[in-house]
Structures are given as C-alpha cells and as structure tokens.
Amino acid sequence: MDAIILLGAPGAGKGTVAEVIQQQTGYEHVSTGDMLREAVKAERPVGLEAKSYMEAGELVPDDVILRIVQERLALGDSEAQYMFDGFPRTIEQAEGLDRVLEEAGSKVSHVFMLDVPRDVLVDRLSGRRICRGCGAVYHVRNIPSKVENVCDSCGGELYQRPDDNEETVLNRLEVFNKQTASLIDYYDKKGVLERIEAAQPKEVTQKAIVDRLAG
Ligand SMILES: [Zn+2]
C-alpha cells in the first residue's frame, strides 16, 4: 500500500490535478467527502455516527473520520495506492493516518502542496461564475461567456456563488492557511513535503507531480 496527499488552497486546482493523476498513475483519488458519503449511504455504523454529527451541524470528530479512512483502506489490497484530498486536516488526523498506514506496513510517501500566490487565488475564485441552468463554470476574464452573464451552452443565467465573493474568499484562504500551516510543518519535518508551483498552466503542474511520482 502506498499513500500520497494533495494539499492546496481553495482555487489551487486540486480537483483537476487529482483527476489527471488518477488517470495517469495507479493512485486512487480518495476525498473525505466521498468517503463520508459512501459510509453514510452504506449505513455502516461509523457512517451513521458521522451522519448524526453532520445533521446536528457539527464537525465530524477526528476519531470518526479516522475510522472511516481505516475502513476505506481495508477495502483495498496490499498493492493499493491512495491519493488523499481534503484529508488529513489536522495534526491529530495526520498522526492517526500514520498509525493506520504503519499497521498496514506503509507510510505517506509524498505530500504535494500546490503553491499559488494569494492574488491569483482571489482572482480565480472571485471571478468565477456558475450557470444556474446546467452548472457550467465560467470566469469573467479567463473563460468568459459570449454574452455577459448568459451561459453559452444552455442560455441560463450566470451567477456568483456567495462563497466566491471577494471578502468570503479572503476569509476562506485565511482559514486554509491557518489550518494547513501545522500540517505543512509536520510533513516537512518528515521530509515528504514537496511544493509544486501551481500558478502555471494546469498541464505543467500535473506533469510536475506525475514526474515526481515516477522518479
Ligand atoms: Zn448553462
């Protein structure tokens, strides 16, 4: 078993990078959201426990998340390769993951931090517009629609998600930085942290990661 972790701020392009890595390598993309939904849907005890926290509007505690991860890893064989996204979020989760992997005779081999300057992230997120009709994603300058605020494919109205207004974006980035600083430090000390310059075209970013995994 092998595990790698993707870290990146909102807007850093983690989702697209993860998709390509999954296609080009043997690493299976595992996100916390997907694992949680699977566990809830299958009505496994740990899933139901997580659900009770979510329904109460509370954060799912670290030990519940860790059990979900452990069950997820148990589904794969000894050759399985996992790419975590959105997990771990805390040092407790990171230490827990290390324990789970150690029991399976494995460890985290790479942690890729997608580095994008803050002004680029703010521009990417605050310029984003979504179609109310089909969900297509635009950007006011980088991917503009032909007619302002009208979707090219379905004619629907384009809108800005409340999350994407500039003030909220700045707040989201600050929360991310605070949350991630200790994780970066944790993995840096273990010598597995690799910073990837991710303001460049996404193909270049993807290739940089795929090359490091191959090397
Ligand atoms: Zn549309």
Side-chain angles (χ1 to χ4, degrees):
M1 195 193 293
D2 186 17
I4 62 173
I5 295 167
L6 277 186
L7 294 175
K14 216 155 36 91
T16 25
V17 166
E19 209 173 298
V20 169
I21 295 175
Q22 173 160 277
Q23 285 161 8
Q24 297 190 357
T25 68
Y27 286 89
E28 192 182 336
H29 180 203
V30 199
S31 80
T32 316
D34 291 344
M35 282 186 288
L36 271 170
R37 275 187 291 275
E38 272 170 25
V40 171
K41 199 171 165 224
E43 299 189 325
R44 297 206 304 272
V46 72
L48 296 176
E49 199 178 329
K51 191 178 167 191
S52 69
Y53 287 102
M54 291 188 283
E55 280 175 351
E58 289 171 32
L59 276 178
V60 181
D62 286 340
D63 67 297
V64 177
I65 299 275
L66 277 168
R67 270 185 282 144
I68 288 175
V69 171
Q70 198 160 13
E71 289 186 6
R72 180 66 184 76
L73 295 187
L75 296 175
D77 58 31
S78 61
E79 303 295 306
Q81 295 178 302
Y82 298 100
M83 167 174 47
F84 290 105
D85 164 12
F87 170 88
R89 260 187 220 286
T90 63
I91 292 292
E92 289 70 28
Q93 291 183 3
E95 288 170 348
L97 177 63
D98 283 347
R99 281 195 302 275
V100 170
L101 290 172
E102 201 181 331
E103 282 166 25
S106 177
K107 62 182 170 59
V108 173
S109 61
H110 301 264
V111 177
F112 295 109
M113 170 67 197
L114 303 185
D115 266 331
V116 180
R118 196 174 85 138
D119 56 331
V120 176
L121 293 174
V122 172
D123 179 68
R124 280 184 187 171
L125 293 169
S126 62
R128 189 158 68 175
R129 298 293 182 272
I130 318 280
C131 172
R132 284 193 198 282
C134 68
V137 180
Y138 295 86
H139 186 280
V140 286
R141 274 185 316 285
N142 306 342
I143 325 168
S145 54
K146 292 197 186 88
V147 179
E148 198 180 343
N149 291 327
V150 178
C151 177
D152 291 347
S153 38
C154 79
E157 184 200 357
L158 305 186
Y159 77 108
Q160 182 182 44
R161 283 191 349 196
D163 259 16
D164 288 344
N165 84 64
E166 189 163 338
E167 200 178 318
T168 313
V169 164
L170 288 170
N171 186 44
R172 284 164 70 197
L173 294 177
E174 195 176 323
V175 168
F176 172 82
N177 287 337
K178 269 190 195 154
Q179 208 173 42
T180 317
S182 52
L183 278 179
I184 289 177
D185 198 43
Y186 180 82
Y187 288 118
D188 201 15
K189 280 185 181 138
K190 288 183 175 286
V192 292
L193 184 78
E194 298 175 51
R195 290 182 180 276
I196 302 288
E197 209 271 282
Q200 50 195 347
K202 60 177 188 282
E203 293 76 17
V204 182
T205 307
Q206 290 152 2
K207 186 171 183 308
I209 296 181
V210 171
D211 285 352
R212 289 188 198 208
L213 286 173

